[in-house]
Structure formats: structure tokens, C-alpha cells
Amino acid sequence: MNSKLKVLYVSAECAPYIKVGGLGDVAGELPLKLKELGVDIRVVIPGNKDIDYPTQYKGDYPVNLGWRKETCIVREIVNAPVKTFIIDNYHYFGRQGVYGHNDDSERFALFCAAVYEMILRFDFMPDIVHLNDWHTAPVAMLLRENEREHGELSEISIVYTIHNLEYQGVSDRSVFNLFGVKDVVFKVDRVEYYGCFNPMKAGINYADIINAVSKTSAKEMLTPRFGFGLEGVLKNREPAIRGVLNGISQNKWDPRTDKYIYCNYAQNDMEGKKKNKKELRKELGLNDSDVPLFSVVSRLVPNKGLDLMEPAFEYILKNNNQLVILGSGERFYEKMFVELTEKYPGLVSVNIEFNEEKARKIYAGSDIFLMPSRYEPCGLSQLIAMRYGTVPVVHKTGGLADTVIDEASNKGSGTGFVFSKYSKDSFIRAIKKAINQYNDRDSWRQLVKRAMIKDYSWENSALEYLSIYREAKVMNTKRKSEGRILI
Ligand code: GLC
């Protein structure tokens, strides 16, 4: 007898095997927590040349892709803490880079079709299929549109997590045709979107529960400003929408044990943090003076608030404070930031790269972390910054609004500085407040401490996911009892 809840967690990336951004971290950490809570969970990701872990062959089968058949091979990562499967196909997945290929729509269509086949063929019939972002959403369509033929599929409940609504994977109808479902599915109430195929819509329309990665993001998604054209589709499914904040791994991000930082420290030993700052400055070639050191660790893409960063950086540097930037992305901004180095020598260090070791040193060695994202469904860096005692200055949106308490309006109980209006003036005002408090050493120390002890571990989030899984089952039962089995 095995009464464990069975979950198949489907994602385009999963740390540590292959990771591009926050989605990879979540896929690497949440399933592990769920396993600890007694869930029988398995993860499945597409193959990639960059995955450098030993695997074991589990089987192969042909997958229908339009008029063709593609052979997919299933491999399992050896000794993974959570059972993790890789679906391989030499042509589509034998490449480097998770995203950014011309045929991404087709690649992920094959992945979804292969996951669907895997569910039918493998000896693991999940109670819950948990899908993430547009890349995996069509699995929901395949499960529901084929349940007449395969009755057992109607027993599966579907949870769909939206990490980033902006990227929807919209493609032309030919990609839809690859799935071999009936033409009638290509309708506005299912997956059609202005004459195109929208995989994100498949997730939203077919899942039993849809969730965003913070409560605020779950609400924001329903508005034209943050709905990216899908606010109406989401509004139709409002009763099924939830929000669950992501956590961060407490072991992975811990200034007491982090091997990469200059010296370990804890909230009751802040000398260690000072030492990190001193060493970081030295390494980056910044002047040795006691001014606040601001930091940015981010992909340099528009939604991270690049347009507000430029004037804010000028403000910070003009006033002789210091700044370190780590990240890469838009060339225009990369160049602009590099130019600051010539204008303000000794005050700013610009590092156009992604380098985890450096990122950790920056989290540990800087004082104030800047994250003015235009929108941010959850955000992980502000959580890491707080854990390392680096006070965040953030825009009041999504997960930033839900995790940082504004010190200016909650004197003595805040954990950072939050600005509401997305404008350079309000961002700079928040920065000024941070500098003022930095100069009041005693209250700064208290603020740092509050940020450090705030608990954003996975425990609570994983419990919330368990209750979402339960709700998804209830919703699915209701759907079936109302005869809403699609034909
Ligand atoms: C996406 C979102 C980010 C979130 C991450 C993990 O990258 O943009 O806010 O933290 O997914 O859910």
C-alpha cells in the first residue's frame, strides 16, 4: 500500500543540472522540500548538451510530432536527491543553451509531447502534474484533450505555475498542428491568440489551479499593466488562481558557511561583514573610504528596471558613494555602465558577466542592494541580499512588495526600502533614505539584523504547495462531476 501523493514536476530547467534563472533554482529546491514532506515527486526536464551529470538509460519511444515521429530517450540522473528524468533527442536537445534557438517553439512542443507519452508509458501515474511557464504548458492541453481516449488521464490534476507571464512562447499555427489534437482546440477560449498559438493560454485554460510566485503577482496579473495581454484570459479563471511565494535554500545561501566569501559571519558578528566589504573593495579596485557600497546583481534586461538605474547610479556616484554592478544582457546598458567607470574612477566597478562566486562576494560585501524591477513575479536576489545583511531598495511590485518591509514607513520594523511609483525620482528618494539611515549607525545595525533574520526558507512555501495540490484534486473532481470532460 502506498498512499503517497505522486507528483510529476515538469520544467525547462532544474538546478544544479542546468540553470538559466530563478525557474531553475525553484525546480531544484521545491521538489526536494516536497519530498521531505512525504510526496513521491519526480522531475522531468529536456536534455541539453550542457548537462554534465552521469545518467542511466530508462527507455525510448517514438513521439508523434505532426506527420513525423521523433525518437525520445529517457534517462535518469544517477543518485539525484529527487528522481530526475531527462528527455533526450539528438536533433532538438543535443545543443547548448536552454532557450534562444530559432526553433524553440518546436523544441518545447516535442518536450511536451514526450512528457505526455512518458505519462502513458511509464509505471508512474501521477496524481498531480505540476507544469511551469509556457515551455511545459501544452502538456495540460494534451492531457485534457486526450482523456476521452485514455480515461485514466482524467484522474490527473494539473497545477500550472507562472513564473514570468511576459514570455508566452507565442508561435504560428503550424506549431499547434504538431500536437495532433483536434482543430476545434484552436479557438479563442483554449489556445488561439490573435491567429497564433499561445502555449501560456493552454496552461491557464486547462489547469485545475494556476498559481503565481507571489500573492501580489497573482493580483497584478489580472491588470492590463502586468497581464501582458492575458489579463482577460486570467480573469476568466480567477477562482482557480493562487499565489505562493518562492523560498531560498537556507544551506546554499548562508553567510555563516558560504565557502566563496572572504570570511564567514552571522547577525551577531557583524565585524565579519565589514571585513568582506574591505576585501571586496580591494578586489574591485574601489577607494578605501567609509561610504555605503551599493550593489546590483542582475540580468541586464528591461524588466529589471534598467531605465531607472542609470539616473540612480549618477546620483549615487555624484555624491561620492560606491557601486558595484554584476550582470550581463542588453548591450546598450552594458556600455553605458562601463562608461561610468571612466567618469567615476575608484567609485564604481562594472562586471559584465555572470559569476556566482563574485555574486556571493558582492552579497556579502556590499551594504545596499538595488532592485528597481518594473515587475518582479517573485525575485530571489532580494531574499539572498537580506540573508547576507545587505539592505534592499526595491520597487513595490510582485514578490518585492511581499518580501521587503519598508523601513521609512515602518520605522524600527522594516527590512529595506520600498518605493511605490515606478519613476527615477521615487527610486532616488528611497536611495536617499537608505543613505541617511546608513549614517545613523545604530539604527542601521538594527535594520540589517532584521533583514538577516527574516525567514524565507522553503518550509512554508512547500506546505502551501501541498494545499494547492489538494485543492487541484478537488477542482478536478468537481470538473468531472459537472461533466466538463472535453471532447
Ligand atoms: C522568474 C521571475 C522571478 C521569479 C523566478 C522564479 O524568473 O521573473 O521574479 O523569482 O521566475 O519563480
Side-chain angles (χ1 to χ4, degrees):
M1 269 216 336
N2 185 355
S3 57
K4 275 189 170 183
L5 186 71
K6 294 205 198 75
V7 177
L8 184 66
Y9 191 91
V10 192
S11 173
E13 43 178 297
C14 176
Y17 317 115
I18 183 132
K19 176 193 140 170
V20 178
L23 170 62
D25 288 314
V26 173
E29 292 166 15
L30 172 63
L32 187 58
K33 261 285 157 303
L34 288 166
K35 184 183 165 189
E36 284 166 21
L37 291 173
V39 177
D40 181 4
I41 187 162
R42 302 179 186 197
V43 177
V44 57
I45 54 172
N48 197 287
K49 242 190 165 162
D50 290 330
I51 301 178
D52 190 15
Y53 282 77
T55 56
Q56 193 191 3
Y57 170 88
K58 284 283 154 181
D60 62 74
Y61 47 78
V63 176
N64 291 322
L65 196 64
W67 54 269
R68 288 176 291 140
K69 283 195 196 307
E70 283 286 337
T71 297
C72 286
I73 303 166
V74 180
R75 298 199 171 91
E76 185 181 346
I77 295 190
V78 178
N79 289 332
V82 173
K83 267 185 172 300
T84 303
F85 298 95
I86 296 177
I87 294 193
D88 240 329
N89 169 279
Y90 182 75
H91 172 65
Y92 287 102
F93 305 131
R95 318 178 191 177
Q96 290 182 302
V98 179
Y99 315 111
H101 300 282
N102 289 334
D103 57 351
D104 275 359
S105 306
E106 210 173 309
R107 295 171 65 234
F108 288 112
L110 175 65
F111 176 60
C112 291
V115 169
Y116 168 72
E117 274 297 323
M118 183 182 172
I119 294 170
L120 290 176
R121 286 168 185 265
F122 275 46
D123 184 23
F124 181 78
M125 186 48 81
D127 301 303
I128 307 284
V129 167
H130 188 160
L131 306 169
N132 294 278
D133 275 352
W134 74 264
H135 329 100
T136 61
V139 174
M141 169 182 79
L142 288 169
L143 291 174
R144 289 300 182 247
E145 293 294 348
N146 288 308
E147 64 186 23
R148 268 292 147 111
E149 198 180 327
H150 299 282
E152 71 274 23
L153 296 180
S154 70
E155 298 295 316
I156 298 178
S157 307
I158 305 172
V159 172
Y160 179 48
T161 301
I162 300 177
H163 297 261
N164 194 331
L165 188 56
E166 185 173 6
Y167 301 102
Q168 300 175 4
V170 175
S171 54
D172 64 65
R173 187 177 179 153
S174 63
V175 173
F176 167 78
N177 292 337
L178 299 174
F179 292 103
V181 293
K182 285 193 226 63
D183 271 358
V184 60
V185 177
F186 198 73
K187 282 275 166 58
V188 67
D189 61 342
R190 299 197 188 170
V191 300
E192 187 270 352
Y193 186 73
Y194 298 104
C196 293
F197 169 57
N198 187 328
M200 183 68 95
K201 265 186 90 168
I204 297 170
N205 284 330
Y206 289 98
D208 295 298
I209 296 275
I210 301 133
N211 82 289
V213 284
S214 66
K215 302 250 184 296
T216 296
S217 170
K219 286 196 212 108
E220 286 177 339
M221 277 186 338
L222 303 174
T223 66
R225 183 162 167 218
F226 297 103
F228 297 101
L230 291 182
E231 57 276 12
V233 180
L234 284 158
K235 198 91 190 136
N236 277 334
R237 303 254 21 227
E238 201 172 349
I241 297 180
R242 305 285 179 274
V244 184
L245 205 60
N246 293 325
I248 51 168
S249 154
Q250 301 295 290
N251 301 333
K252 190 172 159 202
W253 303 105
D254 188 347
R256 288 171 303 187
T257 53
D258 193 321
K259 303 194 287 297
Y260 295 108
I261 62 179
Y262 304 98
C263 91
N264 293 120
Y265 59 97
Q267 82 254 11
N268 46 11
D269 147 40
M270 293 310 283
E271 280 309 305
K273 183 156 174 79
K274 276 199 197 132
K275 196 155 172 221
N276 274 287
K277 181 173 175 182
K278 204 171 161 63
E279 291 297 323
L280 179 65
R281 271 184 171 147
K282 213 191 286 166
E283 182 172 333
L284 301 175
L286 300 176
N287 300 340
D288 191 17
S289 59
D290 191 21
V291 294
L293 175 54
F294 288 82
S295 59
V296 173
V297 176
S298 176
R299 279 179 300 125
L300 302 179
V301 293
N303 78 293
K304 297 295 175 185
L306 291 174
D307 49 339
L308 302 195
M309 282 187 198
E310 193 209 349
F313 291 171
E314 283 286 346
Y315 174 82
I316 288 169
L317 298 169
K318 235 178 26 219
N319 289 289
N320 282 315
N321 300 296
Q322 297 186 345
L323 170 68
V324 47
I325 303 165
L326 174 70
S328 63
E330 300 241 335
R331 291 302 281 277
F332 176 78
Y333 285 95
E334 287 185 359
K335 210 168 141 262
M336 183 184 294
F337 296 157
V338 169
E339 279 164 12
L340 289 175
T341 334
E342 283 146 40
K343 204 162 158 197
Y344 299 102
L347 292 186
V348 56
S349 161
V350 178
N351 307 266
I352 302 298
E353 59 180 316
F354 180 75
N355 177 332
E356 182 163 332
E357 184 172 336
K358 220 182 228 180
R360 287 171 179 273
K361 288 178 168 167
I362 293 171
Y363 285 122
S366 55
D367 299 298
I368 302 169
F369 188 79
L370 302 174
M371 202 161 169
S373 308
R374 186 182 285 273
Y375 75 89
E376 191 67 70
C378 177
L380 301 172
S381 329
Q382 84 279 15
L383 304 179
I384 302 169
M386 287 193 277
R387 192 151 161 81
Y388 282 68
T390 302
V391 174
V393 176
V394 302
H395 176 215
K396 190 172 185 175
T397 179
L400 299 176
D402 293 357
T403 56
V404 182
I405 305 165
D406 182 34
E407 168 70 0
S409 45
N410 301 275
K411 207 76 202 135
S413 57
T415 55
F417 295 87
V418 184
F419 63 97
S420 304
K421 188 164 174 245
Y422 186 80
S423 74
K424 68 175 196 317
D425 293 335
S426 36
F427 185 30
I428 292 174
R429 261 200 304 277
I431 289 174
K432 271 190 207 162
K433 289 179 197 160
I435 298 176
N436 284 341
Q437 188 146 344
Y438 176 85
N439 291 326
D440 176 359
R441 288 309 161 89
D442 225 28
S443 77
W444 185 257
R445 253 194 306 275
Q446 298 304 322
L447 170 58
V448 167
K449 204 173 223 173
R450 283 194 297 276
M452 282 182 91
I453 56 181
K454 203 85 186 132
D455 179 5
Y456 290 111
S457 57
W458 273 107
E459 319 293 328
N460 293 335
S461 316
L463 287 173
E464 281 192 57
Y465 272 105
L466 275 188
S467 86
I468 277 193
Y469 290 163
R470 257 178 258 126
E471 278 192 274
K473 284 172 92 168
V474 174
M475 294 281 213
N476 190 28
T477 309
K478 188 159 166 252
R479 173 185 74 97
K480 285 187 289 178
S481 71
E482 287 168 0
R484 278 186 291 127
I485 291 192
L486 297 163
I487 45 173

